[in-house]
Amino acid sequence: MRKFYVTTPIYYVNDVPHIGHAYTTVAADVMARYKRLCGYKTFFLTGTDEHGQKVEKAAKGQGMEPRELADRVVVRFKELWEKLNISYDHFVRTTDDYHEKAVQELFKLIQEKGDIYLGEYEGWYCTPCETFWSEGQQLEGNLCPDCGRPTERVKEPSYFFRLSKYQDALLKFYEEHPDFVLPESRMNEIVSFVKMGLKDLSISRTTFKWGIPVPGDPEHVIYVWFDALFNYVSAAGYGWNQERFETFWPADLHIIGKDILRFHAIYWPAFLMSAGLPLPKRVFAHGWWTVEGQKMSKSLRNVVDPHRLMEEYGTDALRYFLLREVPFGLDGDFSHRAMAHRINADLANDLGNLLYRSLTMVLKYFKGQVPQPCAGGGELEELARAVVKDLEDLMDQQAFNRALERTWDLVKGTNKYIDSSAPWALAKEKRKEELATVIYNILEGCRIIALLISPFMPEKAQEMWNQLGVEGDIEKASIEEAAWGGLKPDSQVKKGKPLFPRLDEKAIVEKIERELATSQEPEEEEITIDEFAKMKLVVAQVLRAEKVPKSKKLIKLLVDTGADRRTVVAGIGEHYQPQDLVGKKVVIVTNLKPVKLMGVESRGMILAAAWEDGMKVLEVPSDTPTGAEVR
Ligand code: MSP
């Protein structure tokens, strides 16, 4: 039996699932369902990436242990996958025992092979991306070239993987497997990157603890990407379910976002080469969704919640929209306007109407009983055959939007067939035999369409089958059933509610806009201007600054407020060196009750802007007089 192994990335648990995660997972689900339909023994893997500094930091920020945060977020992912009808076969968590064991074993194996050595890493680290950068790779101001956020200086002992040794082998592999990476343009990027030269890769950290310990050297935890990538083999059964592992490995398709291509197309095959394991057949890097033209971000409050979309439009409409709207591989922009429009045009008008009018006619002319045709399906039959055939190729290239477009040729073709064969005229002229053939063909077109859309819209496809009177579970059907003539004459149709009710596009957009506007109203308690005026804010100049002994965070500042000189203690030690603060003009709250912090009395507070992993003291232009009031 032919097999197919498809994966999604494993999702970080520092964030709750959003439309970007739903996108990758729906695409993988559609592939898995299509391959099952084609008779492949399929293994579909998804899961969560739970180790690393990013997750550790997020947990700390929420006053939790990382494991506790992971346990909570995993539930959120699983709930979403259930609602979205994701038919995964296995959910891996990198904190699962079998995974941790496999990663340690593979680490040892690669080490014994001589591809891991102990050295010292000196460079920069971007925690949000969990990526090491050298001086030259960074953007000016020590910013991560991928996400633009500040990196941190790292200097620590580290184990290295001899990535440089695999440069030639990788280039040879790409040459021999030109569609290892799709889309093609991404393959070219990878080849140029590798040609520029590969440096050995740091694969352990010592400055935090949340990770899998390096075997034999527990001061080090294994770099989160080394840990995470091996989920694809550990979850398939490496080291604990050999039979499954041998059945499914190598993976046929890793679906990922373009931002994590380098890890999958360079590091991953190199690790596998070193471990002596076969390489995956394909990595497909899809594009990114923006929202109404902007990058999705918590601070812009524009993160699209898939639950809300399903509530408004339905699960299958969301699945359809995600894969139809944007060619897989390109970036796309999400808007409610586009979504409502797409649903109306393709699903309510083209598909929903087709089924509705077909069933109305069979009820009217044949009391709902599928008639016996007196001839074949002619051009419609040929079109159906051609569409089924073309889908094979399109799905093998993950060209989901084109596969749907091609399926819609059959939807539109069947609609046209109704118009051109005009069953109402045949009925009027009492041409019973021709009428029977035409109605049969229309219903047969609908049945085949249901089968073809079933990987994309499993619930609606089933509903179509039920309404057409086809028995059985469409999920268990086989592509062979797409052969013309499968619909049984004499079976009884069961017309139900319209598949996709027409949406009032304008009303939806207005409703969502209203929702967004109200959700952006501040939740905090409001204060009056008099309350604000109670606070005395002045411009002060920093005269001296020093670390508070034994504290990582606290800096003791001597400031001139214009009226006096006083000591203020600020929790900014993780973001500033004391000497960098001297001379700055800053804003101080001068009428706060004094407090003692680590034995030092603080008389006032310095204002600073703070975000998840950064902080900047508010500075005032240097020509502002000390003591000036801030209002
Ligand atoms: N944990 C790593 C993957 C390890 S795989 C061995 C990771 N996780 S993630 O949660 O940050 O991202 C998972 C996937 O979501 C990535 O493929 C990423 O491209 C995708 N998306 C996140 N935001 C997205 C959009 N706005 N649009 C489309 N996909 C996006 O990376």
Side-chain angles (χ1 to χ4, degrees):
M1 195 186 219
R2 293 172 303 174
K3 69 91 185 174
F4 188 74
Y5 177 15
V6 58
T7 68
T8 72
I10 47 173
Y11 302 106
Y12 285 129
V13 290
N14 65 315
D15 202 0
V16 294
H18 57 60
I19 193 177
H21 306 123
Y23 186 46
T24 324
T25 311
V26 167
D29 185 57
V30 168
M31 267 327 284
R33 285 175 183 271
Y34 180 74
K35 288 294 179 177
R36 282 188 206 116
L37 181 69
C38 294
Y40 285 67
K41 190 169 175 176
T42 300
F43 187 59
F44 169 17
L45 175 69
T46 190
T48 41
D49 190 352
E50 305 186 2
H51 292 129
Q53 201 169 358
K54 177 183 173 113
V55 171
E56 190 183 79
K57 261 193 180 171
K60 215 170 170 189
Q62 296 178 43
M64 269 183 241
E65 288 301 317
R67 177 69 203 217
E68 194 183 341
L69 174 67
D71 286 347
R72 287 185 193 204
V73 177
V74 162
V75 174
R76 305 281 296 269
F77 275 101
K78 287 190 172 168
E79 269 169 9
L80 178 62
W81 301 154
E82 196 177 326
K83 266 198 159 174
L84 265 170
N85 264 322
I86 302 301
S87 60
Y88 60 82
D89 295 295
H90 188 87
F91 191 102
V92 55
R93 299 181 56 175
T94 52
T95 49
D96 286 335
D97 266 1
Y98 65 82
H99 172 76
E100 297 194 346
K101 267 198 208 125
V103 169
Q104 288 191 319
E105 266 175 44
L106 286 153
F107 191 99
K108 276 195 280 188
L109 186 79
I110 293 178
Q111 197 170 27
E112 277 156 20
K113 178 142 185 216
D115 282 346
I116 291 178
Y117 62 93
L118 186 61
E120 183 170 68
Y121 181 79
E122 191 170 357
W124 301 84
Y125 196 73
C126 174
T127 307
C129 296
E130 300 279 19
T131 307
F132 295 96
W133 298 110
S134 65
E135 195 81 50
Q137 289 171 313
Q138 298 205 99
L139 303 180
E140 214 182 296
N142 302 329
L143 302 179
C144 168
D146 270 359
C147 71
R149 283 179 277 206
T151 55
E152 284 167 54
R153 180 99 194 135
V154 180
K155 187 173 178 208
E156 57 188 80
S158 174
Y159 285 92
F160 284 84
F161 171 71
R162 290 189 201 281
L163 185 62
S164 56
K165 175 176 153 188
Y166 288 92
Q167 179 165 341
D168 293 341
L170 284 168
L171 289 170
K172 184 160 174 272
F173 174 72
Y174 303 143
E175 205 176 310
E176 286 166 359
H177 301 87
D179 57 4
F180 170 61
V181 171
L182 281 186
E184 206 184 322
S185 58
R186 301 269 170 221
M187 178 86 258
N188 301 337
E189 277 171 25
I190 289 296
V191 171
S192 330
F193 188 91
V194 174
K195 278 189 176 155
M196 279 180 351
L198 293 176
K199 289 213 179 79
D200 290 351
L201 181 71
S202 166
I203 52 162
S204 77
R205 303 287 313 269
T206 53
T207 47
F208 69 100
K209 284 271 152 276
W210 182 234
I212 302 177
V214 165
D217 194 353
E219 282 301 297
H220 291 250
V221 294
I222 295 177
Y223 173 44
V224 64
W225 272 100
F226 186 95
D227 164 353
L229 285 161
F230 276 109
N231 91 88
Y232 301 131
V233 302
S234 77
Y238 181 88
W240 63 286
N241 187 342
Q242 200 55 19
E243 193 190 327
R244 183 161 87 187
F245 183 66
E246 277 167 19
T247 307
F248 288 109
W249 190 257
D252 295 272
L253 176 63
H254 293 310
I255 298 187
I256 57 161
K258 63 179 184 181
D259 52 317
I260 54 175
L261 179 60
R262 206 171 339 116
F263 301 97
H264 282 82
I266 302 175
Y267 302 171
W268 181 223
F271 293 161
L272 288 167
M273 282 177 187
S274 175
L277 290 170
L279 307 197
K281 305 227 175 89
R282 177 171 299 163
V283 175
F284 195 109
H286 65 65
W288 266 51
W289 284 92
T290 49
V291 177
E292 315 269 357
Q294 281 181 311
K295 200 173 162 188
M296 246 191 314
S297 95
K298 274 192 209 150
S299 55
L300 291 174
R301 295 198 184 199
N302 65 350
V303 177
V304 179
D305 174 10
H307 290 284
R308 180 70 191 87
L309 295 180
M310 284 188 275
E311 190 181 284
E312 193 65 47
Y313 306 101
T315 301
D316 280 352
L318 172 60
R319 293 173 57 109
Y320 175 81
F321 175 78
L322 289 175
L323 295 183
R324 173 65 186 84
E325 188 68 5
V326 179
F328 205 54
L330 300 186
D331 292 338
D333 187 47
F334 177 85
S335 78
H336 286 276
R337 204 175 296 277
M339 183 155 179
H341 185 71
R342 171 69 67 192
I343 293 172
N344 270 348
D346 299 2
L347 301 181
N349 285 0
D350 292 346
L351 180 63
N353 263 346
L354 169 65
L355 183 71
Y356 197 81
R357 64 203 286 230
S358 308
L359 294 174
T360 307
M361 288 188 290
V362 68
L363 280 163
K364 186 164 171 196
Y365 305 130
F366 296 96
K367 299 200 178 87
Q369 209 168 48
V370 175
Q372 181 81 45
C374 302
E379 278 181 21
L380 190 60
E381 179 179 340
E382 266 164 43
L383 174 62
R385 192 171 304 121
V387 169
V388 174
K389 178 90 202 65
D390 290 350
L391 285 197
E392 267 177 48
D393 249 15
L394 293 170
M395 293 299 284
D396 275 341
Q397 297 163 38
Q398 288 75 55
F400 302 115
N401 71 314
R402 285 170 57 212
L404 285 168
E405 240 170 16
R406 188 69 182 124
T407 307
W408 254 245
D409 287 344
L410 185 58
V411 174
K412 290 179 180 156
T414 313
N415 268 321
K416 265 200 205 131
Y417 177 80
I418 298 180
D419 299 338
S420 62
S421 50
W424 44 91
L426 298 175
K428 213 165 162 193
E429 293 161 19
K430 303 233 170 358
R431 291 154 68 185
K432 265 272 173 182
E433 285 193 354
E434 282 163 79
L435 179 64
T437 303
V438 166
I439 295 294
Y440 181 88
N441 290 343
I442 295 167
L443 297 173
E444 180 59 348
C446 290
R447 186 190 66 87
I448 295 172
I449 290 165
L451 198 65
L452 298 183
I453 64 167
S454 65
F456 295 87
M457 296 187 278
E459 279 176 15
K460 295 294 175 180
Q462 182 70 55
E463 222 173 294
M464 278 182 84
W465 265 32
N466 297 347
Q467 295 202 23
L468 288 161
V470 181
E471 277 175 8
D473 191 348
I474 204 162
E475 274 191 23
K476 302 214 173 83
S478 127
I479 195 72
E480 260 106 67
E481 294 171 51
W484 193 266
L487 187 63
K488 288 201 191 88
D490 298 335
S491 52
Q492 188 69 33
V493 306
K494 302 181 197 82
K495 190 169 163 208
K497 283 189 289 192
L499 268 193
F500 295 96
R502 246 197 101 72
L503 303 172
D504 182 342
E505 293 175 31
K506 201 165 154 248
I508 285 195
V509 170
E510 279 170 11
K511 181 165 102 186
I512 305 275
E513 275 167 4
R514 257 197 321 274
E515 264 175 33
L516 284 176
T518 47
S519 78
Q520 275 167 25
E521 274 169 17
E523 287 157 15
E524 297 90 353
E525 192 193 339
E526 289 172 346
I527 60 163
T528 63
I529 186 86
D530 295 337
E531 283 169 303
F532 175 71
K534 282 188 192 158
M535 230 185 301
K536 190 152 185 253
L537 301 168
V538 300
V539 172
Q541 185 162 32
V542 180
L543 303 174
R544 270 208 309 266
E546 62 195 82
K547 287 233 174 209
V548 172
K550 294 206 194 104
S551 167
K552 250 181 36 194
K553 279 198 179 160
L554 298 182
I555 294 186
K556 175 176 152 190
L557 307 161
L558 178 68
V559 296
D560 176 3
T561 68
D564 59 18
R565 289 179 169 201
R566 56 170 79 195
T567 300
V568 171
V569 178
I572 52 177
E574 285 178 330
H575 307 278
Y576 285 92
Q577 291 305 323
Q579 66 274 18
D580 297 339
L581 294 158
V582 176
K584 283 194 193 310
K585 292 247 172 107
V586 296
V587 181
I588 301 280
V589 187
T590 54
N591 59 343
L592 266 187
K593 266 208 179 98
V595 282
K596 256 199 173 162
L597 297 167
M598 304 266 302
V600 184
E601 187 180 61
S602 175
R603 292 181 51 229
M605 189 175 83
I606 184 165
L607 296 193
W611 60 97
E612 201 184 334
D613 43 18
M615 185 175 265
K616 288 268 181 245
V617 162
L618 290 194
E619 281 182 60
V620 178
S622 56
D623 54 353
T624 317
T626 302
E629 204 179 317
V630 178
R631 287 183 285 213

